[in-house]
Amino acid sequence: MDRVTIEISPAPGRMLRLLDYPELSSNHKLVSKGIDVLRKHAPGVMRYLSLQRLLGHLPDYTIEVRAGGMNETDVREYMQAWMRRKRLRRLFYVIAEALLLPFTAFVAVLPGPNVVFYGLFVLFYFHFKAFLSLSRINVNQLSISLVQD
């Protein structure tokens, strides 16, 4: 089982940051080649898609939390609120992208590949998968371990 490292900054202004998580990968040759191109030319997009994939598969990971003085109950409550915010944001993204997808058909008449449609569809796919997963996750069933600094 892979590991994810999360840091929760101390109060006031508590923030959750993902420090270490697996990068997006694929066993499919064509998808793997596309991922390599993203890694080389658009590392920010690569990190963002890796984060979306992580949110979609969070229960599959062991989560190490650096929470400086918080107990496990507080960490789980904070993560529940964090996931609720992420789920609502993903719902907004999915609705906006679903509304924009039909308009990308007008761009298809231009010569060359329809990069606008493909890019928007990839974002829609990852946001939708993350939304569905975040809707099903029960924080009490996540494998969380507190790490003392």
Side-chain angles (χ1 to χ4, degrees), residues 20-91:
D20 183 33
Y21 52 92
E23 194 172 69
L24 185 63
S25 63
S26 175
N27 294 331
H28 192 274
K29 186 178 180 181
L30 187 60
V31 175
S32 180
K33 186 177 272 192
I35 289 172
D36 289 339
V37 168
L38 273 178
R39 188 177 294 120
K40 182 178 179 184
H41 297 292
V45 173
M46 182 66 188
R47 278 191 305 275
Y48 184 75
L49 292 178
S50 295
L51 175 64
Q52 297 309 307
R53 185 186 181 288
L54 169 71
L55 290 175
H57 294 89
L58 202 57
D60 300 338
Y61 297 101
T62 300
I63 303 169
E64 291 182 358
V65 179
R66 296 179 184 160
M70 292 176 70
N71 60 27
E72 187 173 339
T73 306
D74 292 340
V75 167
R76 288 187 187 275
E77 286 176 6
Y78 187 78
M79 285 190 66
Q80 180 71 34
W82 178 78
M83 285 195 291
R84 189 178 320 112
R85 286 191 306 272
K86 292 290 183 185
R87 185 177 64 239
L88 287 173
R89 186 175 294 165
R90 295 310 171 274
L91 177 62

